[in-house]
Amino acid sequence: MLLSVELSLYPFAEDYVPIVKNFIAWLDARPGLKIESHATSTIITGDHDRVMAMLSDALHYSREQYGRVVFVAKFLPDYEALK
């Protein structure tokens, strides 16, 4: 099943832009996922299991790299079909 997640990252840092850019670069390096970056969120699309595994990895990665952050996520089944 195809799954898309619209994900926004909100770091607890005054200089947040480099953190967000680094996180998007980390996302871009994930194989088998389509990444669409927008001004306030990034849409990640791929196989359901791969997307969910990426979210788990993203939580661990962001905690290790940046400490406390807030993620806001919207789950969109079959987003590509809506275009």
Side-chain angles (χ1 to χ4, degrees):
M1 177 173 87
L2 194 62
L3 176 67
S4 295
V5 175
E6 182 180 352
L7 190 63
S8 298
L9 169 71
Y10 299 97
F12 286 93
E14 205 168 300
D15 191 19
Y16 62 89
V17 173
I19 293 172
V20 172
K21 286 183 177 184
N22 288 339
F23 182 74
I24 291 171
W26 180 87
L27 287 174
D28 283 335
R30 305 300 101 199
L33 297 172
K34 180 180 176 188
I35 309 296
E36 295 177 48
S37 294
H38 303 280
T40 60
S41 66
T42 299
I43 298 174
I44 303 111
T45 302
D47 174 71
H48 176 273
D49 292 339
R50 189 177 297 249
V51 170
M52 296 304 287
M54 177 280 308
L55 287 173
S56 178
D57 292 345
L59 292 172
H60 290 287
Y61 171 80
S62 63
R63 179 68 174 181
E64 291 172 4
Q65 294 296 312
Y66 314 118
R68 292 178 47 188
V69 299
V70 172
F71 281 104
V72 175
K74 295 181 207 171
F75 294 85
L76 307 153
D78 205 11
Y79 169 72
E80 290 295 314
L82 299 174
K83 288 183 169 182

